[in-house]
Amino acid sequence: MMKQYIISLLLLTGLLCSCNDDSNGGVPTGVLYLNIDEDRTLLTKAESEVTNESLRVDIIKASGDTLKSYKDYLTEVKGEKLILPVGKYAVSVSSNHSDEAAWETPFYQGCDTVEVAAGVITAAKVVCKIANTKVKVGYGSGIKDKFLNYEATVSSSSGTLTYERDEHRAGYFTPEKLNIDLRLVNNAGNEFHLRRVLEEVEPQHVYTFKFHLSNEDEDDNDAGADFGIIVDKQVDSVFCNIFIKEEELNGKGMPYCELEGFNNGIYSYKDGATLPATGQVLFNCFIGVNSTLQSVVVKTASPDFASGLSVFDLCKPEDVSKVEAKGFPKLQEIPIGENNKYKKYTLDLASFIPQLTIQEEMPTEHVFAVEVTDKLNQVITSSFTIKRLPDVAAATYEPICWTSFALLRGAADEQGYFKLRINDAEPIDITDVKVDENGNVFALIVGLSPNVSYTYWVASKSDETIKGKEIPFVVESCSIIPNLGFDNWSSRSEKKMEKLVLLHLQMQKGQMFIGIQGISVYSPM
């Protein structure tokens, strides 16, 4: 359970109506006095008193604008009388640290409204509660005796924490779905990986996940079964018991994936090139010989799968029929001989590769992430990328522009270069370029001016008829940062000077830069 605390706000306005800060221009003011008291009415267990926490206090006007902010209640607010203009405010209190997953680090948060009125003494209370969820992990004696190593990873969108075998600390997470992954290594050195997902998670609750090795006579507790959940509502604790049968892990080892025909996970194919043969470009996954596939979920950012097909499961017939229309291959089980500990499943991508499209005549990457889950909820993830290259003699791509320089981009043969036209003048040849292994051409040009029309395209020395499309561009004017002069610098009412650090890169006409990531540099001026 978590501890709740009360921040008491005493607004003493009656005696101090005449105490107007000159900075308020004669507007009636009141005094806000903050104090923190512990609320002992709740049965809670916190790692530290809230009075020892570093708390941020924000005074927010009814319009939503923040009137004042204090980074530390103890050093800036406690015992101080805060003068505020008469009006309604929201007082927000929160821990200074982030709410990311962390060990023994609860995140406190609270908010209440208060009205500062002239001639009235106003008191208000803000209840500051722990806003996240506390998670513990434990292991039964059977797990400790039968397995050489074991650890559980708990994760949510707020982050990931790994509970090793001797980890007794509690972790704090945002109150949302929790993923629990258990990694086991038995005395024979075989590794197993079990996953559980707890969908409904509430704030200010303690969740304890304990892994047990089932007895032989406990037939109703199969390995990989769902949680045995016990909820103690009096102390807001949830006990999640997970039972494992060691004998049922035999032949159900940790899944794994392999790629064939890829180069560092990427397969590049250019239009017009020889198509890969069947069996040359493969995605393979392996699961224990005594296990079965539960799901093979594919997630992709490919533009060809944007219309409702960005996520699909190859174990669901309805999903398979949809992606087959896009040419995506079926998942096939491949026999790999007797006495093997694993079963093999394959995606043969050879016929699928040329069906992927090229976007706007530019090299287009189609990325596919695959998550394989077996009957024990053991999960393995892998990914592959298919890069489609256009079969064009020359292609010009949109440049990347800054205020006085630009990166020209295109594709051509080994003799490729750029032509650059400034306004309506004769084009300039930019022959000092960088060409990569895929035929992409780059050049960095500097000394450019705003409000000038530039046009460029790709050409080739090997053939004058080879020409990419012409692409016009302009560069923006450099923005002027206000109050840069020392005469315009000012201090706050608290006499704290704000320092401005400015990194200024000035580019003179005709200035030459030497090598940016191996890209040649040219100045037309």
Side-chain angles (χ1 to χ4, degrees):
M1 276 292 297
M2 313 308 180
K3 184 170 287 186
Q4 293 186 342
Y5 300 88
I6 294 178
I7 295 179
S8 300
L9 288 77
L10 302 180
L11 286 86
L12 309 178
T13 58
L15 300 176
L16 297 164
C17 291
S18 60
C19 294
N20 293 327
D21 192 333
D22 292 340
S23 63
N24 289 313
V27 175
T29 61
V31 172
L32 178 64
Y33 183 80
L34 283 78
N35 185 34
I36 295 181
D37 295 323
E38 182 179 345
D39 181 1
R40 297 185 180 273
T41 60
L42 295 175
L43 299 175
T44 59
K45 297 178 182 178
E47 279 61 34
S48 63
E49 299 291 337
V50 75
T51 50
N52 295 328
E53 290 284 326
S54 177
L55 298 174
R56 175 188 178 91
V57 179
D58 292 305
I59 311 297
I60 305 170
K61 297 189 292 186
S63 63
D65 297 326
T66 300
L67 179 66
K68 290 186 178 182
S69 293
Y70 303 93
K71 292 183 178 180
D72 195 324
Y73 166 79
L74 289 176
T75 60
E76 297 183 74
V77 177
K78 187 176 182 180
E80 298 292 331
K81 295 179 175 63
L82 309 177
I83 299 175
L84 298 175
V86 168
K88 291 184 178 181
Y89 300 94
V91 180
S92 175
V93 182
S94 62
S95 297
N96 263 314
H97 60 79
S98 71
D99 60 352
E100 295 181 355
W103 298 111
E104 305 290 5
T105 311
F107 184 82
Y108 292 98
Q109 195 172 52
C111 185
D112 202 355
T113 57
V114 65
E115 183 172 0
V116 177
V120 177
I121 298 176
T122 305
K125 294 180 180 179
V126 174
V127 178
C128 194
K129 299 180 180 180
I130 292 179
N132 43 17
T133 295
K134 186 176 181 178
V135 176
K136 296 180 178 180
V137 172
Y139 305 95
S141 59
I143 295 288
K144 297 177 181 179
D145 295 338
K146 297 291 186 178
F147 292 95
L148 191 65
N149 193 18
Y150 45 88
E151 64 181 27
T153 300
V154 181
S155 62
S156 72
S157 65
S158 60
T160 300
L161 296 176
T162 299
Y163 295 74
E164 298 179 351
R165 54 186 299 169
D166 297 321
E167 181 59 72
H168 302 292
R169 292 177 296 174
Y172 286 83
F173 298 82
T174 55
E176 59 186 21
K177 180 177 73 174
L178 292 173
N179 300 305
I180 305 95
D181 293 273
L182 175 66
R183 176 180 171 270
L184 297 167
V185 180
N186 65 12
N187 294 327
N190 297 318
E191 182 176 335
F192 308 94
H193 187 179
L194 289 78
R195 165 178 278 196
R196 294 292 179 275
V197 178
L198 190 61
E199 296 283 353
E200 297 181 2
V201 177
E202 298 185 40
Q204 302 160 22
H205 280 57
V206 181
Y207 289 83
T208 301
F209 299 98
K210 191 164 185 178
F211 297 93
H212 304 269
L213 196 64
S214 297
N215 296 323
E216 292 183 1
D217 57 350
E218 292 177 335
D219 294 332
D220 55 335
N221 290 324
D222 293 334
D226 290 335
F227 293 111
I229 297 179
I230 302 172
V231 180
D232 187 340
K233 293 185 177 295
Q234 289 187 345
V235 293
D236 289 339
S237 291
V238 181
F239 299 93
C240 303
N241 296 307
I242 304 171
F243 295 93
I244 303 165
K245 279 191 174 181
E246 185 182 17
E247 65 272 16
E248 293 200 359
L249 295 177
N250 294 328
K252 298 177 182 178
M254 182 66 189
Y256 66 96
C257 299
E258 290 180 349
L259 296 174
E260 294 184 35
F262 289 83
N263 183 14
N264 294 323
I266 301 175
Y267 184 88
S268 297
Y269 175 74
K270 186 175 183 179
D271 274 0
T274 302
L275 290 172
T278 299
Q280 284 189 338
V281 186
L282 303 174
F283 172 86
N284 302 317
C285 67
F286 300 82
I287 65 170
V289 68
N290 292 332
S291 187
T292 56
L293 282 174
Q294 179 173 299
S295 65
V296 179
V297 177
V298 181
K299 299 179 181 180
T300 178
S302 167
D304 293 355
F305 289 76
S307 302
L309 293 176
S310 59
V311 180
F312 51 91
D313 188 348
L314 296 177
C315 290
K316 292 182 177 179
E318 61 271 23
D319 285 3
V320 172
S321 62
K322 292 178 182 178
V323 297
E324 275 189 331
K326 294 284 187 180
F328 200 88
K330 283 186 176 181
L331 188 66
Q332 300 178 349
E333 183 176 355
I334 307 297
I336 53 177
E338 297 181 0
N339 300 322
N340 201 296
K341 295 181 180 180
Y342 285 89
K343 293 188 289 189
K344 179 181 179 181
Y345 293 85
T346 293
L347 291 173
D348 192 331
L349 302 165
S351 61
F352 174 57
I353 290 171
Q355 297 186 54
L356 294 170
T357 61
I358 297 172
Q359 303 291 311
E360 298 179 356
E361 294 188 345
M362 293 183 62
T364 305
E365 291 188 349
H366 301 264
V367 181
F368 298 87
V370 186
E371 181 181 86
V372 180
T373 306
D374 70 1
K375 183 180 179 181
L376 291 182
N377 288 309
Q378 298 184 117
V379 181
I380 186 67
T381 58
S382 183
S383 64
F384 59 88
T385 299
I386 299 173
K387 189 172 184 178
R388 294 286 282 107
L389 305 172
D391 183 20
V392 292
T396 313
Y397 308 145
E398 291 291 334
I400 301 174
C401 300
W402 290 268
T403 55
S404 57
F405 57 100
L407 179 65
L408 307 185
R409 305 184 301 153
D413 57 21
E414 295 179 354
Q415 299 295 314
Y417 68 100
F418 292 106
K419 284 183 171 290
L420 176 69
R421 178 188 297 122
I422 305 174
N423 290 325
D424 295 325
E426 288 295 319
I428 303 168
D429 291 346
I430 302 176
T431 57
D432 195 2
V433 298
K434 171 74 174 180
V435 182
D436 67 14
E437 66 276 6
N438 292 322
N440 295 309
V441 185
F442 306 93
L444 184 67
I445 57 173
V446 302
L448 303 180
S449 302
N451 303 319
V452 173
S453 296
Y454 298 98
T455 304
Y456 81 103
W457 60 93
V458 174
S460 176
K461 296 178 183 178
S462 62
D463 188 345
E464 292 183 358
T465 63
I466 294 177
K467 178 183 177 182
K469 66 178 179 180
E470 298 184 5
I471 294 184
F473 70 95
V474 295
V475 294
E476 297 181 356
S477 301
C478 184
S479 300
I480 303 299
I481 300 177
N483 301 322
L484 268 185
F486 285 99
D487 293 339
N488 294 327
W489 282 32
S490 61
S491 61
R492 293 184 175 181
S493 59
E494 292 87 358
K495 306 301 183 183
K496 294 180 180 179
M497 178 69 74
E498 283 193 76
K499 295 182 179 180
L500 176 64
V501 179
L502 173 67
L503 177 64
H504 182 57
L505 175 64
Q506 185 176 10
M507 301 177 65
Q508 302 290 340
K509 285 187 177 181
Q511 183 177 358
M512 298 295 292
F513 288 85
I514 301 175
I516 297 180
Q517 296 181 347
I519 299 174
S520 301
V521 180
Y522 174 81
S523 173
M525 305 304 290

